[in-house]
Amino acid sequence: MVEAGASALELNVYYLSTNTAMSGQEAENRYADVLKQVRSTVKIPIAVKLSPFFSSIPNMVQRLVNEGAMDWFYLTDFISRY
């Protein structure tokens, strides 16, 4: 992607669990796992587009930032840079 001229990557992740035994934490871990895998592959900035369906959006954003994997996040019309 970088060779093709990409200067950043927008990552759209949406996961809706249908497993009644899966906790919210386990579902959120999937987002973190995807982001970590992408970050290990690319070195350009990553923007993450999040859905509004987290019990605590600030906590989810902080988790992703703490893992050093996310540079921006998008939530509807709100953009923030970390």
Side-chain angles (χ1 to χ4, degrees):
M1 289 184 298
V2 174
E3 292 83 15
S7 58
L9 176 68
E10 180 180 293
L11 184 61
N12 294 294
V13 182
Y14 184 77
Y15 177 73
L16 179 62
S17 176
T18 57
N19 181 349
T20 58
M22 179 179 280
S23 71
Q25 182 71 41
E26 290 172 312
E28 289 179 358
N29 287 346
R30 288 181 177 243
Y31 285 77
D33 292 343
V34 167
L35 187 54
K36 282 191 272 187
Q37 288 178 2
V38 172
R39 171 50 73 208
S40 71
T41 305
V42 299
K43 302 304 176 206
I44 58 178
I46 298 175
V48 179
K49 189 172 186 180
L50 295 175
S51 75
F53 305 114
F54 292 99
S55 58
S56 176
I57 292 171
N59 178 269
M60 185 63 189
V61 169
Q62 193 62 58
R63 280 186 61 204
L64 298 175
V65 169
N66 286 347
E67 294 181 22
M70 182 173 68
D71 299 297
W72 291 278
F73 79 93
Y74 291 75
L75 180 63
T76 350
D77 293 327
F78 180 75
I79 302 172
S80 183
R81 181 182 173 115
Y82 283 88

